[in-house]
Amino acid sequence: MRTGARRLRRCRTVKAVLSLGMTADDEMLCIHEIMNFLRSIVANFQNYPDIIFYKSLVLLHKFFRKMSIRQLRYDKCLIGTASFFLAAKLEDCPIKLIDLAVLYFKAELKRNNWPMKQPTEQQKFQIQSKICEMESEILRQIGFDLEIELPYKYFKQFMSYPAPNMEKVIKTAAYFCNDTFLKPMCIYYHPMQIACSCIYFSSLFLKISLPDNEGKVWYKYLHDGIELKHLQDVTEIMKAIYKKMEEKKKQTSHSTVQPAAAIPAKKGN
């Protein structure tokens, strides 16, 4: 298991961003914008498993580990669309490219407050070509590393932990987990560490103490390698995320952007 000892502020993503004049917080807000844009597209695929959305976010972070947003040739939301297109294939739920192109076109009009209209055949072709090109670029940048494990499955395993109000703690933790994707924690921390960290944060938030079990502290329930310091590190990052989101909300009090926590909790892997 990766220890997660390396702090996010030292990661190559942050270094690349700072070298291009963009702070880590600025990049987080860009990721937030991409997530909201992608959610407007995902809403049209209600029969598709939620896991596709979350895997697309992991693909995004793997990509941005190699390349900063400032280096993109295309609109940043296009890579979100392409990552969703690729993630759907990974789950054996392929999406028709032409359908995705039309949805991207309409979401782009809405994002820019432009009048709604149908794309021309030429525009459809151009967008499809860009999505395919961006998909190839994602694969090239991440070295075809398509192994993705999400934290959500560990919440299910914790449901059997003998503690009062555990279901409430897990439900809140799942919402916190959604927001971990605003930072590249999925790259630098094991999914089990992230899940335990969200449970730890949830217990603090709800003021619910989790008892030991058979002589072990609760966070070692699944693996003895989990350390309290890792949970505290991730929790501090989460607090910084919410602080920045709150500051942004105050600055743009009339904005229609919704917090990432509005995404429903995952019910799967």
Side-chain angles (χ1 to χ4, degrees):
M1 183 190 303
R2 287 170 286 172
T3 64
R6 185 206 249 175
R7 300 300 181 88
L8 290 178
R9 64 174 178 269
R10 296 179 182 175
C11 75
R12 285 189 292 173
T13 304
V14 174
K15 285 185 176 180
V17 171
L18 293 177
S19 67
L20 290 165
M22 181 181 281
T23 68
D25 287 338
D26 289 337
E27 181 141 299
M28 185 195 78
L29 293 175
C30 285
I31 295 293
H32 193 184
E33 183 181 350
I34 295 173
M35 288 174 66
N36 281 324
F37 182 88
L38 191 53
R39 280 169 52 205
S40 69
I41 291 179
V42 172
N44 294 276
F45 296 95
Q46 296 182 2
N47 294 328
Y48 282 66
D50 294 341
I51 193 175
I52 296 175
F53 174 79
Y54 295 103
K55 285 196 172 185
S56 69
L57 299 180
V58 177
L59 290 171
L60 274 175
H61 283 300
K62 286 188 175 186
F63 178 82
F64 287 134
R65 183 187 180 191
K66 301 290 185 178
M67 178 179 288
S68 171
I69 291 174
R70 285 282 186 92
Q71 295 173 303
L72 293 178
R73 290 181 296 162
Y74 295 133
D75 176 75
K76 58 182 176 291
C77 291
L78 182 67
I79 186 176
T81 306
S83 67
F84 181 67
F85 183 61
L86 177 56
K89 293 180 181 179
L90 298 180
E91 288 302 302
D92 293 323
C93 297
I95 297 170
K96 289 185 178 180
L97 184 56
I98 188 169
D99 292 342
L100 189 59
V102 172
L103 290 171
Y104 171 83
F105 178 83
K106 292 181 177 180
E108 188 69 7
L109 292 179
K110 184 177 180 180
R111 180 165 72 107
N112 290 284
N113 294 317
W114 292 336
M116 195 60 61
K117 62 180 180 179
Q118 291 294 327
T120 64
E121 291 303 316
Q122 182 179 3
Q123 287 172 325
K124 291 179 186 177
F125 176 79
Q126 290 175 342
I127 295 172
Q128 289 179 80
S129 297
K130 288 179 180 179
I131 292 175
C132 289
E133 186 176 341
M134 197 71 253
E135 179 190 31
S136 298
E137 183 66 12
I138 292 171
L139 290 169
R140 187 179 72 83
Q141 290 291 345
I142 69 175
F144 287 82
D145 176 16
L146 298 175
E147 182 179 349
I148 298 175
E149 183 183 11
L150 299 175
Y152 300 99
K153 71 176 184 180
Y154 296 108
F155 293 139
K156 280 189 173 182
Q157 296 179 38
F158 261 107
M159 287 298 291
S160 61
Y161 189 81
N165 298 314
M166 197 62 191
E167 184 176 352
K168 183 178 181 181
V169 172
I170 295 297
K171 184 177 180 179
T172 304
Y175 279 96
F176 284 141
C177 189
N178 296 337
D179 290 332
T180 64
F181 293 104
L182 286 167
K183 290 279 190 179
M185 285 183 270
C186 56
I187 303 298
Y188 296 98
Y189 290 88
H190 190 278
M192 189 186 296
Q193 288 177 318
I194 294 176
C196 289
S197 299
C198 291
I199 293 174
Y200 174 69
F201 192 14
S202 175
S203 67
L204 294 178
F205 178 77
L206 297 172
K207 295 181 172 57
I208 295 176
S209 178
L210 298 178
D212 295 349
N213 180 48
E214 297 181 353
K216 283 187 178 182
V217 291
W218 68 266
Y219 50 81
K220 292 186 181 290
Y221 180 61
L222 298 183
H223 198 286
D224 287 336
I226 301 293
E227 299 293 341
L228 179 59
K229 185 180 185 302
H230 303 153
L231 311 189
Q232 293 171 335
D233 285 348
V234 173
T235 298
E236 287 305 309
I237 296 170
M238 291 299 298
K239 288 180 179 178
I241 288 176
Y242 290 123
K243 181 179 179 181
K244 176 56 61 175
M245 290 173 68
E246 186 62 28
E247 291 173 355
K248 184 66 177 178
K249 184 178 179 180
K250 290 179 180 178
Q251 293 172 4
T252 58
S253 58
H254 300 293
S255 172
T256 57
V257 174
Q258 297 296 317
I263 305 171
K266 180 67 197 77
K267 304 175 183 177
N269 186 22

